[in-house]
Amino acid sequence: SQTIHQWPATLVQPVGSPLSLECTVEGTSNPNLYWYRQAAGRGLQLLFYSVGIGQISSEVPQNLSASRPQDRQFILSSKKLLLSDSGFYLCAWGGQLGDGYTFGSGTRLTVV
Amino acid sequence: KNEVEQSPQNLTAQEGEFITINCSYSVGISALHWLQQHPGGGIVSLFMLSSGKKKHGRLIATINIQEKHSSLHITASHPRDSAVYICAVPLGGAQKLVFGQGTRLTINP
């Protein structure tokens, strides 16, 4: 079965500091990978998705970037965090027709 | 107008009650997903539906493709069912999920 490992679970970072969140997938190859964010009291918003190694599509302009250096690895980064980057970040695998989605356990980021 | 609309936004009920959460969408889809988000934030995929009805324990999900509508039912609700329930539809070649706003369900003992 497919599993997603996402870390860290919680993170408190000062404004202006860098960010790196990592997500790895097991049990599948060439998955579609997604980064979502949920701001406090809001719904889930797609940030980035990737259909293959090195292929990144951004959904919204922002202070973040994503990379996929390996087939089963998806990284969310920022060079300088803003207060508005606070939220709950979820990595997900899925999207192939006929398959469901599997979500990571999430990272709660607080920028102070 | 959002592509996925859920109702109600908040629902409080007593333990044992039958619960219905509704989801309407405005686009053609290959499947619809029901997700459960617990207070800690973690999300669990409950159902993926492309037609008809699916049942898992006390949870039942139905979809009417012609009417672009889906419902999630919980029978004999329990306080541990308290969570946010989200419907979502995949769009585009990359099957990106578009989410409803979620329904916050609280079941009181």
Side-chain angles (χ1 to χ4, degrees):
Chain A
S1 64
Q2 301 84 19
T3 57
I4 289 188
H5 302 282
Q6 186 181 342
W7 67 92
T10 59
L11 195 56
V12 180
Q13 292 284 99
V15 168
S17 63
L19 173 74
S20 180
L21 302 181
E22 188 163 343
C23 170
T24 58
V25 181
E26 293 179 4
T28 186
S29 60
N30 196 30
N32 287 352
L33 296 173
Y34 310 86
W35 276 112
Y36 294 93
R37 177 172 64 194
Q38 187 175 40
R42 308 287 296 274
L44 285 156
Q45 179 187 38
L46 178 64
L47 300 177
F48 300 96
Y49 67 94
S50 171
V51 299
I53 295 174
Q55 298 181 47
I56 306 294
S57 296
S58 174
E59 285 293 292
V60 293
Q62 59 207 314
N63 184 42
L64 303 167
S65 61
S67 62
R68 186 170 177 176
Q70 301 180 46
D71 182 43
R72 302 174 196 179
Q73 185 184 28
F74 205 23
I75 298 172
L76 183 70
S77 304
S78 173
K79 291 182 180 177
K80 289 186 178 182
L81 284 169
L82 305 172
L83 287 174
S84 58
D85 292 324
S86 294
F88 187 68
Y89 290 81
L90 275 166
C91 177
W93 167 90
Q96 303 297 331
L97 289 177
D99 294 335
Y101 280 76
T102 301
F103 289 86
S105 52
T107 297
R108 190 163 301 282
L109 171 67
T110 304
V111 182
V112 296
Chain B
K1 187 181 188 299
N2 292 334
E3 289 141 322
V4 183
E5 297 276 355
Q6 270 185 254
S7 64
Q9 290 189 15
N10 293 282
L11 179 57
T12 300
Q14 290 299 120
E15 183 174 356
E17 287 189 38
F18 181 81
I19 302 299
T20 296
I21 299 171
N22 295 300
C23 177
S24 297
Y25 53 92
S26 58
V27 295
I29 62 170
S30 57
L32 180 142
H33 298 260
W34 280 103
L35 312 170
Q36 181 190 54
Q37 185 174 31
H38 279 281
I43 288 184
V44 174
S45 180
L46 298 176
F47 295 102
M48 184 180 73
L49 285 170
S50 54
S51 65
K53 175 180 172 179
K54 285 190 176 180
K55 185 175 188 291
H56 184 239
R58 295 180 293 105
L59 300 177
I60 303 167
T62 64
I63 189 168
N64 185 317
I65 297 294
Q66 286 73 31
E67 294 185 4
K68 292 187 167 63
H69 180 269
S70 177
S71 293
L72 177 68
H73 306 285
I74 305 175
T75 61
S77 59
H78 190 276
R80 64 174 175 265
D81 297 326
S82 298
V84 176
Y85 293 84
I86 305 168
C87 71
V89 299
L91 295 180
Q95 298 288 285
K96 302 168 288 183
L97 282 179
V98 176
F99 298 90
Q101 288 299 98
T103 295
R104 184 172 299 278
L105 174 66
T106 303
I107 304 296
N108 294 319

